[in-house]
Amino acid sequence: MDGDFFSEVSGSVPFGGLDATDALAFKVYDKDRLVLGKRMEDHLRIAVCLWHSFNWPGSDVFGAGTFDRPWLDPRLEPMIAARAKLEAAFEFVAKLGVPFYCFHDRDIAPEGRTFAETKANLDAMIDQAEAHMARTGIKLLWGTANLFSHPRYAAGAATNPDPEVFAYAAAQVKVMLEATHRLHGENYVLWGGREGYETLLNTDLAREEQQLARFLAMVAEHKHRIGFKGTLLIEPKPQEPTKHQYDYDAATVHGFLARHRLDGEYRVNLEANHATLAGHTFQHEVTYAISHGTFGSIDANRGDYQNGWDTDQFPNSVEELSLAVYEIVRAGGFTTGGFNFDTKLRRQSLDRTDLFHAHIGGIDTLARALLVAVDMIEHRTLEALREKRYAGWSGELGRSILSGDALFEVLAGRVAVGEIDPYPVSGRQELLENMVNQRIWAVDGVKRVETGTGH
């Protein structure tokens, strides 16, 4: 593990353009390219996750790990292995040339025999991370605590029937929130991997909701106590590993936060694969969050349409991503959030450079989706027809209804005498779908689209 782990890649991955023959070059992602007056890197704010790429051996429920990750060898002294893992991770992110990374506490530091030893391990590795960040200029998009892997969390963390597990989880989050603050992380994420139930036969839903609300309130209180200026995020997910999770989708999270008066404290970190598992499109989840003021950040990946599992594959559909990116850019873009590649290599992708190929392809897909989204915004591909469809609500009748001036009885009376007798109007869905496709076909990512310096 001495020296460069990714020795086959020398220097940063370059931008080569669409005609580049080098597989280890970006074809569309040109970080300094101006798009609507902002650098492409600043639009996308890309991050690499440490868990799937460096802390997962490539195992599945039927087989052992297949990846070349020597620091995961259980025969190694845990802290030596942890340092080697972190060094390889920063080497990768630096060579890939993206600005951010993300991690759970257990991704970078092993659990000790006691909580004090575990905290000491994390403190030591935060020192290492801080040094790597200073050396490379790479920043922390968000940190989080792993409240799902250890057997103590089999029945959940905040929603566990044992208050001692709740207390242990609170201590773990306190330490990790403080570590994220120390590393100047721009967000802190709570992913309730096991905050749900496997059967209602032994579950008190009302009690567990009360527990979860109290836990989230305590996190928000501690954020303000320590002066952390980043955004607190919740990552919705419908199920897997539990049968049902309390943060099912963006709407469920929003309703929960509003019900417990926490909607001013949290936003959502949306994942594309979680959206489809919940029966939604990724665009739907993004649009809902933006519409209700809870949009925060993104985990960019995709699922497999042939199964209902969280496969976390690298994104490869410009069409699907374009509509989600369109909503984000149209709403003004990210503040503290970004696109984190919460993605897994396929189990047969064994070469060290496969990690580069996967990220390059996913980032290029995202970059082209950005250009398509901007093109649709500039051509008002969807907005003109949307505005026309709802134009009546800007007229006298629509304004009077929304203002409360139009009484129920008055509306009914106008209908009864035939003054109001509406006819159906086409939603023109097929036309809109064609128009979106035309913009996708018109954009080749580099050659044809002129993106302005202002909008």
Side-chain angles (χ1 to χ4, degrees), residues 13-200:
V13 173
F15 169 69
L18 290 179
D19 297 326
T21 57
D22 183 1
L24 293 171
F26 292 114
K27 308 304 185 294
V28 183
Y29 180 66
D30 180 359
K31 65 179 182 180
D32 292 320
R33 178 176 178 174
L34 287 180
V35 181
L36 294 181
K38 186 189 295 186
R39 295 168 63 247
M40 185 174 278
E41 179 180 85
D42 298 329
H43 269 292
L44 300 178
R45 292 171 59 85
I46 292 168
V48 171
C49 80
L50 266 55
W51 48 99
H52 292 326
S53 294
F54 297 92
N55 206 45
W56 178 54
S59 58
D60 63 21
V61 293
F62 297 108
T66 59
F67 294 160
D68 178 15
R69 303 289 186 267
W71 48 81
L72 299 181
D73 189 331
R75 295 170 296 181
L76 291 174
E77 197 282 319
M79 288 298 286
I80 292 176
R83 286 190 286 272
K85 182 201 308 180
L86 195 63
E87 184 175 334
F90 271 93
E91 178 196 348
F92 175 80
V93 181
K95 287 183 174 180
L96 188 64
V98 297
F100 294 103
Y101 76 111
C102 302
F103 71 97
H104 300 84
D105 47 5
R106 299 297 179 260
D107 296 330
I108 70 168
E111 188 148 5
R113 292 166 295 181
T114 65
F115 184 82
E117 183 178 324
T118 299
K119 182 179 182 303
N121 289 344
L122 182 63
D123 288 343
M125 292 311 301
I126 294 298
D127 289 342
Q128 296 285 311
E130 199 168 38
H132 283 302
M133 291 169 68
R135 174 178 57 82
T136 62
I138 296 166
K139 295 172 286 186
L140 180 61
L141 187 65
W142 51 259
T144 186
N146 181 331
L147 303 181
F148 48 88
S149 292
H150 194 281
R152 72 172 63 91
Y153 297 127
T159 59
N160 199 286
D162 184 349
E164 290 192 357
V165 175
F166 182 107
Y168 198 100
Q172 191 175 333
V173 170
K174 176 181 180 294
V175 169
M176 189 55 197
L177 180 58
E178 291 168 357
T180 301
H181 180 40
R182 174 182 163 188
L183 294 176
H184 305 289
E186 302 203 14
N187 309 270
Y188 183 87
V189 175
L190 290 105
W191 179 63
R194 299 191 187 275
E195 308 294 19
Y197 64 81
E198 295 179 14
T199 175
L200 281 172

Side-chain angles (χ1 to χ4, degrees), residues 26 29 46 96 98 341 358-368:
F26 292 114
Y29 180 66
I46 292 168
L96 188 64
V98 297
F341 275 78
H359 279 85
I360 288 169
I363 291 169
D364 272 340
T365 300
L366 186 57
R368 183 165 179 184

Side-chain angles (χ1 to χ4, degrees), residues 170-234:
Q172 191 175 333
V173 170
K174 176 181 180 294
V175 169
M176 189 55 197
L177 180 58
E178 291 168 357
T180 301
H181 180 40
R182 174 182 163 188
L183 294 176
H184 305 289
E186 302 203 14
N187 309 270
Y188 183 87
V189 175
L190 290 105
W191 179 63
R194 299 191 187 275
E195 308 294 19
Y197 64 81
E198 295 179 14
T199 175
L200 281 172
L201 299 178
N202 61 7
T203 302
D204 185 334
L205 286 174
R207 179 182 293 278
E208 292 195 359
E209 175 168 329
Q210 182 183 21
Q211 292 172 208
L212 182 56
R214 183 62 194 129
F215 192 91
L216 295 177
M218 292 171 74
V219 174
E221 290 162 5
H222 193 64
K223 167 196 168 173
H224 296 300
R225 188 176 300 116
I226 65 176
F228 178 56
K229 302 302 182 184
T231 304
L232 295 178
L233 301 171
I234 295 176

